[in-house]
Every structure is written in C-alpha cells, then in structure tokens.
Amino acid sequence: MDERILKILRAHQDESVPADRLIPEELSRRLNTKVIGKKIFSYNVVDSTNSIAFSLAKAGLGEGAAVFAEGQRKGRGRLGRGWVSPKNKGIYLSLILRPKISLKKASLVTLLAAVACAEAIRKISGQQALIRWPNDILVNNKKLCGILTEMQTENSHLEYIILGIGINVNTPTGKLPSQASSLKEEAGREFSRVELARGLLRRLDQEYSFFKDKGSAKIITQWRNLSAFCGKRLKVKLAEKTIEGQSQGIDAQGALIVRLDNGFKQHILAGDVAKIR
Ligand code: BT5
C-alpha cells in the first residue's frame, strides 16, 4: 500500500475497530460454561474493569458475570500499583465470584485463576507458561499476565470476590513496562484474543466448579506442577522487610512456604517474589 496511506492508517490505529472484538456475541459463541461468563459485558476504554465489576456486584449482580474492556486508563495492580492496558491488544477482564468459603481460603481463588490462565495460554500458544507466586504468569521468565483478586467482606464474612485478569496478547513490548512481554513477542505471531478469552473462561469454569464441589487439593497439585520457582532460591519482598530462602511450594491455604537459612519455614500470604538462582 502507498506509504502515505499507511502513515494515516498507523496514526489512527488506536481508534480503529480491532478484527477480533471482545464482545458478548463473539465471546459467548460455543462457550458452554456452567457459571463463568454466563453474562458478559463489553466496553471500549474504561478506567478499570475491576471497578465496574465491583459496582455491579455491589448492586447485586450474580456470580460468573464477566466485564471485558478493549483498554483501561487506570488499570490496577496490587498494592496501589498500575496495570498498563494498551487498547485493542490485550485482554482486560474482571469476574464476579460469590463462593461460599471462609476468608482464609479466598487466596486459593488467585491460585485457581493462575492455573487457568497458565493452561489457557499454553493451549493456544504451546508456550511454557509458568506461575510466579502468587499472581504472575511468565513466559521465558517475562511477565505477560497478572491477576488481581479484590474482595468485599462484612463482619469477617466474604461477600464477593472480583477476579481481575490482564493478559498481554498482541501487545508490542514498546507499549509495556521493561521486564514485561506479550504472547505475540514470545511466540513470534499474533493470537486471536477472542479464542484465548473463550478458552480462559472455559478453563476458569472447570477449575472453579471443581474447587466449589471438591475443594482445593487438585488446584494445589496443578499449581505446583506449573510453578516457576519450586525448589529454587528466592528473595521475597514483604511489607516491612525482604527475606531470602528456598521455595518449598505452597500450603493448603495457598501461602508460599520459604525455608529460611536457619531452617525455619515461613508461610507467606502476601509479597513479591524474585528468583535468585
Ligand atoms: C498484577 O499486579 O499483576 C495484577 C494485574 C491485574 C490487571 C487486571 S486487568 C483487568 C482488571 N482490571 C484492573 O484494573 N486490573 C485487573 P502486580 O503484581 O501488583 O503487578 C503490577 C506491576 O506489574 C506494575 O508495577 C508493573 O511493574 C508491572 N506491569 C504493569 N503493567 C504491566 C503489563 N501490562 N504487563 C506486565 N507487567 C506489567
């Protein structure tokens, strides 16, 4: 095509309609899930899909509803951090979940989601996606997916969970923070976001139904098999300090077990992990 025409098209790329649109008509085709994605809402650019899902859950919307956006202005990570969400390139999804479990078990939902994300990414791309505790999916040691689990509680009782998932699918690395990558960059080709999103909803549906019916044992085993750092030496940044030790997997509540050099085994519920060697 003429270089002048290409220049105009490129300049307006962010406003153009993507070929594979994350809209209910496409996403729900042959989805066949029991709970997850039974209702799907799609937006163009929003501040954060988690914020929309929170408002919907607060207003009483039932479990399994999914909110998708083509882009986010204020995508959220954990601990006040941000999630870079370029338009039309990634998947930005939030789900409303209302499991009847104790607060102590809520972090298992993050692990369950991490297993579903890693497996859906593996299935579509053949890439060796691995989980970095608690909420990152890595390919070739680079983060291309993050999970944010937010909760509403009342009197120490879990009301609902908003499960937010961001995946860099066809995103050029130039639009991402350093250390981050996308499925396209790692696999060397583009992927259908609709196909990946559908695969992810199905996988989440299977894992979530199994978790509600039969408990967490299967998820913990699957998680261990997909873990990037099991048995490796780690540094874990906690709220007030950083500790070092050997990763010994996760316990039944989903806490990371780290064996410190003095032999003490510490169970960690929240932190950021980096591998040392
Ligand atoms: C996460 O937090 O990884 C959770 C990300 C969840 C995003 C989804 S998108 C749909 C839903 N709606 C939302 O508003 N959020 C959820 P955390 O572990 O705190 O990681 C955040 C850090 O990852 C940032 O401080 C950056 O260093 C890095 N980062 C930011 N954007 C990234 C991206 N697109 N890809 C990879 N790394 C990124």
Side-chain angles (χ1 to χ4, degrees):
M1 215 182 276
D2 187 304
E3 191 51 43
R4 282 173 310 171
I5 295 176
L6 282 175
K7 208 172 149 195
I8 296 166
L9 292 175
R10 271 191 228 113
H12 295 283
Q13 207 172 20
D14 283 353
E15 289 89 52
S16 67
V17 176
D20 67 328
R21 290 188 297 161
L22 298 168
I23 53 175
E25 295 82 341
E26 296 285 341
L27 293 163
S28 50
R29 192 176 298 154
R30 292 189 302 276
L31 187 61
N32 298 329
T33 51
K34 279 195 234 158
V35 182
I36 305 292
K38 278 305 204 192
K39 281 205 174 73
I40 296 177
F41 304 95
S42 298
Y43 292 88
N44 194 21
V45 180
V46 298
D47 280 349
S48 156
T49 54
N50 261 38
S51 303
I52 296 178
F54 243 112
S55 310
L56 291 170
K58 197 172 170 202
L61 192 64
E63 117 157 327
V67 177
F68 283 88
E70 287 290 347
Q72 296 183 117
R73 285 179 291 264
K74 294 179 190 162
R76 291 208 291 270
R78 292 177 301 149
L79 310 166
R81 293 187 288 231
W83 185 254
V84 178
S85 311
K87 199 178 159 190
N88 300 343
K89 299 293 182 193
I91 293 174
Y92 315 112
L93 157 69
S94 299
L95 288 161
I96 299 175
L97 301 175
R98 298 179 182 274
K100 293 185 176 46
I101 54 173
S102 67
L103 255 185
K104 255 172 63 188
K105 292 199 167 158
S107 54
L108 289 166
V109 173
T110 307
L111 302 187
L112 173 164
V115 167
C117 287
E119 288 187 339
I121 289 171
R122 281 175 176 232
K123 188 166 179 210
I124 199 171
S125 70
Q127 297 292 307
Q128 294 293 304
L130 293 171
I131 305 168
R132 176 171 63 194
W133 185 90
N135 67 328
D136 298 337
I137 307 297
L138 313 178
V139 169
N140 301 329
N141 224 11
K142 289 176 221 152
K143 178 167 173 176
L144 48 75
C145 166
I147 299 163
L148 172 68
T149 323
E150 297 182 305
M151 282 177 277
Q152 181 65 39
T153 60
E154 209 175 299
N155 302 329
S156 311
H157 168 80
L158 179 62
E159 290 269 297
Y160 50 83
I161 291 177
I162 305 300
L163 176 64
I165 297 173
I167 308 180
N168 307 324
V169 186
N170 298 320
T171 327
T173 34
K175 295 203 171 197
L176 294 169
S178 57
Q179 320 272 322
S181 191
S182 69
L183 203 48
K184 178 188 171 190
E185 297 284 352
E186 296 311 308
R189 66 183 176 95
E190 295 220 341
F191 292 90
S192 156
R193 291 179 308 153
V194 169
E195 202 186 316
L196 176 55
R198 250 195 247 127
L200 175 61
L201 293 174
R202 282 195 200 108
R203 205 76 225 193
L204 283 166
D205 194 61
Q206 289 159 4
E207 302 296 349
Y208 187 60
S209 302
F210 197 92
F211 170 65
K212 285 204 300 184
D213 295 348
K214 307 237 161 71
S216 59
K218 178 171 159 242
I219 287 152
I220 306 254
T221 311
Q222 284 171 301
W223 192 95
R224 284 191 182 128
N225 292 335
L226 290 165
S227 161
F229 301 160
C230 253
K232 301 280 183 335
R233 204 164 163 80
L234 302 177
K235 227 183 212 168
V236 189
K237 226 171 114 213
L238 307 175
E240 282 114 37
K241 56 177 181 171
T242 299
I243 60 161
E244 245 185 76
Q246 192 203 31
S247 161
Q248 305 231 307
I250 49 174
D251 67 18
Q253 254 82 50
L256 180 72
I257 310 167
V258 177
R259 204 174 120 246
L260 307 180
D261 294 337
N262 63 11
F264 180 76
K265 283 188 185 172
Q266 189 159 346
H267 292 234
I268 299 161
L269 277 165
D272 285 298
V273 165
K275 185 170 77 172
I276 305 179
R277 56 183 174 267

